[in-house]
Amino acid sequence: MPVNYSVLMSVYYKEHPDYLRQSMQSIYDQTVPTDDFVLVCDGPLTPELDTVIADMQQQFGPRLNVCRLLKNGGLGKALNFGIGQCKNDLVARMDSDDVSRPDRCERQLAVFQNYPEYSLVSGIVEEFSDTITNVSVRRIVPEHQNDIIAFAKKRNPFNHPCIMYKKSDVEAAGGYQDFYLLEDYYLWIRMIQQGFIGYNLQEPLLWMRAGSDMYKRRGGWKYFLSQRKLLCYMYQSEFITYSQYLMGTFIRLGVAMAPNNFRSFVFNNILRRKMNKNSMGGGVTRYSQLNRLNPMWTWGVVCD
């Protein structure tokens, strides 16, 4: 497949060196390799992280472009800077602790080739702890634009860790903004409002590292205020109704202030599809099937 694409990753000092190495290796092992890997170091890193980057620089050669920011400015600012460094219009996002499936980018490139009108292509992620063989749940998102729009009024309609998008369209929508833990969700809403078309492959594309730290980040007063700010934007821009705004605010306040083990229960039993023997064997529940089985599932209680 002759289409070129860039990879965009940001890393900061708190990241685990082994996770970073595994994540970058999964990009190196893609069936369609990238010719442009942009790694943004968001502020000074630890010596251990710098060692991993030096090793990967030897492996990738000139394809790896390491950009170092003097200060840690947050994910939104780091990604906005990184987009400007990407050489290709198609950009695959990658987090520094997740693992892409080997054919992830090949599948997404095929969609863009067949449907050049699309601006965003993501898919299903499988959440794991410790190793990728220890997968417990999947985050399934809707496939087509109409369902994506409806879903976006309640929950994040794309899995950011495995999205591929057109750089030109992201920049036309204003790029990433500084929005605590919701930079991607805010961007998707603005792109939808401007008429850009998205699509979600109903196949697993990436293993996403989960655990108690992830649930902690989805709680607390600061996170709730960020959620409320996003809901205010959605209401004021007439993306949601006033009743949807009130319901969303009430539910998110309750979950944000709840104990961490309760949020873990919500994520793993309401907002995700549990893995079973059949699904572990390769069968994937599609969004349309899941919505039929449990209509309340679409009323997710956090902006995940």
Side-chain angles (χ1 to χ4, degrees), residues 210-222:
S212 60
D213 286 346
M214 184 183 76
Y215 307 131
K216 287 179 181 177
R217 290 195 299 271
R218 298 303 189 269
W221 186 247
K222 184 177 180 181

Side-chain angles (χ1 to χ4, degrees), residues 131-281:
T131 68
I132 60 175
T133 59
N134 189 17
V135 173
S136 56
V137 294
R138 285 176 172 147
R139 185 174 192 268
I140 301 173
V141 281
E143 184 173 7
H144 297 293
Q145 182 77 351
N146 287 341
D147 287 332
I148 287 170
I149 293 172
F151 194 84
K153 297 176 186 294
K154 306 163 187 175
R155 299 176 60 190
N156 193 327
F158 299 104
N159 283 319
H160 189 215
C162 67
I163 201 161
M164 182 181 285
Y165 47 59
K166 292 180 180 176
K167 168 184 173 179
S168 54
D169 292 345
V170 167
E171 290 179 330
Y176 291 94
Q177 308 270 331
D178 188 15
F179 214 118
Y180 179 66
L181 292 182
L182 300 175
E183 299 95 346
D184 59 318
Y185 195 176
Y186 183 41
L187 173 59
W188 313 148
I189 292 172
R190 299 194 327 268
M191 294 187 73
I192 288 171
Q193 290 174 320
Q194 294 182 36
F196 294 110
I197 301 173
Y199 179 78
N200 285 309
L201 285 157
Q202 299 297 286
E203 306 167 7
L205 298 181
L206 175 138
W207 291 284
M208 177 179 169
R209 196 176 301 275
S212 60
D213 286 346
M214 184 183 76
Y215 307 131
K216 287 179 181 177
R217 290 195 299 271
R218 298 303 189 269
W221 186 247
K222 184 177 180 181
Y223 185 56
F224 166 70
L225 291 178
S226 184
Q227 291 179 307
R228 190 182 66 173
K229 180 181 175 183
L230 182 61
L231 287 168
C232 285
Y233 169 80
M234 293 164 70
Y235 170 64
Q236 291 170 357
S237 63
E238 300 183 347
F239 189 67
I240 59 175
T241 65
Y242 186 62
S243 61
Q244 289 173 320
Y245 166 76
L246 289 178
M247 178 174 288
T249 301
F250 176 76
I251 292 175
R252 285 163 173 80
L253 175 61
V255 174
M257 297 297 105
N260 194 48
N261 58 358
F262 175 76
R263 274 192 301 278
S264 175
F265 173 83
V266 169
F267 267 84
N268 291 307
N269 293 275
I270 299 176
L271 302 182
R272 303 292 190 262
R273 178 64 175 172
K274 278 188 171 293
M275 302 285 284
N276 53 40
K277 291 182 180 180
N278 292 330
S279 60
M280 289 295 284

